[in-house]
Amino acid sequence: MRYPRRTSARADRFFAGLVASAGYFVLFALAGAAISMFWGGREAITTFGFDFFTSSNWDVGAGQFGAAVAIFGTLVSATIAMLIAVPISFGIALFLTEVAPNWLRGPVAAAIELLAGIPSIIYGMWGLFVLAPYLGEHIYPWVNDNLGELPLIGALFQGPPIGIGLLTAGLVLAVMVIPFTSSVMREVFLTVPTRLKESAYALGSTKWEVAWDIVLPYTRTAVIGGVFLGLGRALGETMAVTFVIGNAYNISASLLEPGTSIASSIANEFAEAVDPLHKSALLALGFVLFVITFVVLSISRLMLRQLKRREGTV
């Protein structure tokens, strides 16, 4: 059955408007969230000015609020998580696509997807009741005694082995990020044409050479995108970090010391914020986290665009 051309054109315009409205809805929701957080935090920003972003003083009783400690903890814990998660995710994806036997690939891939579906509060409880005591009793004392004496980097591993702190938060975040990043890498590794890999093997290449010289260059754009998606997850994680980071407003060179993050500060204090300035400071923290995430994702888009341009000129 053929529809009249006028009816088909009207249906196409309706469909185009429908999908365009869905895209615009995302932009409006994003802009609305940013504006609402900025408007809610305007009192704190106007009261403290630029010192709000650089001061480490967070004293609710004195009405003094600075975001530097929370920003520092957010960036450090997310960086630790990505330094751990990215190589492990690459290894998992490479194992599932190039090394593992066929009968093992399905169960391992399903297990990774199940890890991605576990609520963050479960990760936080596991980190607090299982990981933190084990680290504080068996790992951190050795780290403090041995790595703490090293030049240059020794200050990073000196501190009380209490089990909670920035390093523990980074470890928990890494466990949470690995399923997402490894799943993305695995899917893009599967898109590599089999002929390319078979040609490399025929020329005598090893599995590592095929992965480094064929698979990774072919999929590097998507891999970088997956890494930045995992970084966005690490930056915005709330409950798991709240359980294990220590929630202390201090900046220390030691990764074993307790700290705080933007998300954990908001989660801990927003329900009890009575003073309007206190509540405004927490909303301003939310706006800062939004800006940090937006900057990170923008950098990833610029990197991907540069990679596409280079690929187009080759």
Side-chain angles (χ1 to χ4, degrees):
M1 180 178 180
R2 297 182 62 184
Y3 292 96
R5 184 175 300 177
R6 184 176 302 175
T7 303
S8 299
R10 189 182 300 114
D12 286 342
R13 288 195 299 269
F14 174 76
F15 178 75
L18 185 63
V19 295
S21 63
Y24 289 136
F25 172 78
V26 175
L27 295 177
F28 290 145
L30 190 66
I35 293 172
S36 63
M37 286 185 293
F38 176 77
W39 187 255
R42 70 190 188 282
E43 182 179 354
I45 296 175
T46 55
T47 301
F48 302 106
F50 191 74
D51 290 339
F52 177 79
F53 305 100
T54 59
S55 174
S56 60
N57 184 21
W58 187 278
D59 191 340
V60 178
Q64 297 293 321
F65 301 101
V69 177
I71 296 173
F72 174 81
T74 300
L75 297 178
V76 170
S77 59
T79 301
I80 294 172
M82 298 312 296
L83 289 175
I84 298 172
V86 170
I88 294 178
S89 299
F90 180 79
I92 292 173
L94 188 62
F95 173 76
L96 291 177
T97 55
E98 302 296 331
V99 179
N102 292 330
W103 62 268
L104 186 60
R105 295 181 181 183
V108 174
I112 293 173
E113 293 175 358
L114 287 175
L115 284 175
I118 297 177
S120 61
I121 192 171
I122 303 299
Y123 283 107
M125 295 174 64
W126 168 77
L128 179 63
F129 296 114
V130 178
L131 181 62
Y134 180 82
L135 293 175
E137 184 176 354
H138 300 287
I139 304 299
Y140 286 170
W142 182 91
V143 169
N144 183 37
D145 295 338
N146 294 273
L147 301 183
E149 301 299 327
L150 296 177
L152 300 179
I153 64 172
L156 297 175
F157 304 104
Q158 294 177 353
I162 58 178
I164 59 174
L166 293 173
L167 183 56
T168 306
L171 291 173
V172 174
L173 283 176
V175 175
M176 298 179 65
V177 169
I178 285 173
F180 293 93
T181 309
S182 61
S183 296
V184 173
M185 289 185 180
R186 172 178 171 268
E187 293 298 327
V188 298
F189 286 173
L190 290 174
T191 63
V192 179
T194 306
R195 293 180 179 179
L196 290 179
K197 295 187 290 186
E198 290 178 348
S199 300
Y201 286 128
L203 293 174
S205 299
T206 62
K207 289 184 179 294
W208 169 251
E209 290 172 338
V210 170
W212 190 255
D213 297 329
I214 303 297
V215 175
L216 191 57
Y218 189 88
T219 60
R220 59 184 176 183
T221 301
V223 167
I224 292 175
V227 169
F228 276 93
L229 284 177
L231 178 57
R233 171 71 189 272
L235 288 171
E237 181 52 47
T238 304
M239 294 309 301
V241 175
T242 303
F243 274 88
V244 297
I245 199 170
N247 303 303
Y249 286 94
N250 66 292
I251 295 179
S252 174
S254 174
L255 301 178
L256 307 184
E257 293 279 355
T260 190
S261 68
I262 295 176
S264 62
S265 298
I266 297 173
N268 281 323
E269 301 183 20
F270 198 84
E272 301 176 357
V274 179
D275 183 16
L277 184 60
H278 185 195
K279 188 174 295 184
S280 177
L282 294 175
L283 289 171
L285 279 180
F287 178 73
V288 172
L289 181 59
F290 177 89
V291 172
I292 292 175
T293 307
F294 180 80
V295 169
V296 168
L297 295 180
S298 299
I299 293 174
S300 69
R301 295 299 302 175
L302 291 175
M303 290 179 61
L304 294 176
R305 185 176 300 177
Q306 291 295 327
L307 286 175
K308 289 182 179 178
R309 287 180 179 176
R310 291 179 183 177
E311 292 173 355
T313 57
V314 174

